[in-house]
Amino acid sequence: MGPLDGSPRSGTAHVIEDSQLLYLDKLKLHGLIASYPELAFGLLHGMSTRVRELALWAPAARDFPRADRPIAPIVSTRWSSEEARDRVNEAEDIMDRAGIRPGMTVADLGAGEGYYTVRLAERVGPRGRVLAEDILPEVIEALSRRITREKWDNVSVKLGAPEDPRLPENSFDRIFMIHMYHEIAEPYAFLWHLSPALKTDGELIVVDADRPTDQHGTPPRLLACELATMGFRLEELIPKPTAGGYFARFRRIVARPAPSSIVPCAINQRAQG
């Protein structure tokens, strides 16, 4: 494996860096970071920049290109208060537009505190199912407590990863991604792993703000490009100011590509206006 910037390595550097990576791999670094972050980052301290980047680059994402754009940090588990969102009928409007009906199976990715999760659960009813996913263990734990407390028997929760939502294949009529796409650290790996989870006629629903990704939004042209790379076609794009941006609906029209064939989208986000 060559350096991230494509420059050659000396033989000595190759041996040292590969041995460091092997050592970190044996320690299961990503699990160590989740449980003992200070210890994990202490181990990384003093190693070369390249080793740190490779070690922190999740193994399941290493076959995929990195996004050619900034990734917004996760700064909050809520976009706005539930009361404020309900006052403008946000969830009902988005669920209507997405065609959510009783009996459907829906995934809510980046579920956070569960604003959409519980409203989807009510809409799909006892014959439907909702899977709430997030990548933060403490968020999943808090959401699990809410689901238990409010007795949502048709909801399951799942801990995902930045590069893989870990969804069962051929399971979902709709997958919701609400105000979270710009925070996905490995969008190409994430979408590649997500794709098989949709049923044949399933749809991917994205709500986000129309602004650059480093300002916690995703320009629609960039979103459509990255999803097209994964075999998705934009079916509908409409402004949704009451939901803080726009509503986009995608359908998978071709099989996902081989990871090695993926070419990242290169779009000047600030030139789109």
Side-chain angles (χ1 to χ4, degrees):
M1 182 186 297
L4 294 180
D5 61 5
S7 59
R9 292 190 289 172
S10 70
T12 303
H14 182 103
V15 172
I16 292 173
E17 290 177 353
D18 284 354
S19 65
Q20 289 175 340
L21 284 170
L22 180 62
Y23 171 63
L24 291 171
D25 183 59
K26 286 181 178 178
L27 289 174
K28 305 298 182 187
L29 181 68
H30 286 83
L32 198 63
I33 289 173
S35 302
Y36 305 100
E38 291 184 1
L39 175 60
F41 286 104
L43 289 169
L44 286 170
H45 183 70
M47 294 184 175
S48 71
T49 300
R50 177 182 171 276
V51 168
R52 288 196 298 272
E53 287 178 333
L54 285 175
L56 293 171
W57 195 3
R62 290 178 187 167
D63 292 334
F64 297 86
R66 309 301 297 268
D68 188 19
R69 59 170 173 82
I71 305 297
I74 300 173
V75 295
S76 176
T77 58
R78 66 164 62 182
W79 175 73
S80 179
S81 72
E82 296 196 8
E83 294 77 12
R85 297 170 86 170
D86 279 345
R87 279 197 295 272
V88 295
N89 209 35
E90 178 191 331
E92 293 297 318
D93 187 22
I94 295 299
M95 290 190 295
D96 287 346
R97 177 60 63 174
I100 303 301
R101 303 182 301 276
M104 278 187 162
T105 300
V106 184
D108 180 17
L109 306 188
E113 297 177 1
Y115 174 73
Y116 271 89
T117 298
V118 299
R119 287 157 180 80
L120 285 166
E122 183 175 19
R123 176 72 70 96
V124 302
R127 293 185 298 109
R129 295 291 302 174
V130 176
L131 180 94
E133 181 267 4
D134 209 287
I135 66 170
L136 300 175
E138 63 272 22
V139 171
I140 285 296
E141 290 172 7
L143 182 54
S144 295
R145 291 193 294 271
R146 176 179 185 177
I147 296 306
T148 300
R149 183 175 65 251
E150 297 180 10
K151 296 182 171 58
W152 294 105
D153 296 332
N154 59 347
V155 175
S156 302
V157 298
K158 189 174 187 66
L159 180 66
E163 75 284 358
D164 184 355
R166 298 172 178 164
L167 304 178
E169 293 189 8
N170 193 32
S171 298
F172 298 98
D173 299 293
R174 301 288 186 273
I175 295 178
F176 272 41
M177 301 169 68
I178 310 295
H179 289 292
M180 57 79 73
Y181 187 82
H182 53 271
E183 296 175 345
I184 299 174
E186 303 288 350
Y188 295 105
F190 187 91
L191 292 170
W192 193 89
H193 288 107
L194 173 154
S195 179
L198 279 170
K199 296 179 180 178
T200 302
D201 59 349
E203 294 181 340
L204 181 62
I205 306 299
V206 179
V207 172
D208 214 338
D210 184 2
R211 53 178 179 252
T213 53
D214 58 0
Q215 297 177 24
H216 290 273
T218 309
R221 184 170 163 232
L222 174 63
L223 177 70
C225 179
E226 292 186 349
L227 281 159
T229 301
M230 290 296 110
F232 289 89
R233 180 178 65 200
L234 178 62
E235 300 287 320
E236 183 180 29
L237 176 68
I238 57 174
K240 280 293 176 185
T242 55
Y246 59 82
F247 169 98
R249 182 167 55 87
F250 293 86
R251 188 178 289 266
R252 186 183 58 210
I253 58 170
V254 296
R256 60 185 181 176
S260 60
S261 71
I262 298 169
V263 178
C265 296
I267 293 176
N268 184 342
Q269 298 184 58
R270 286 171 174 76
Q272 295 184 63

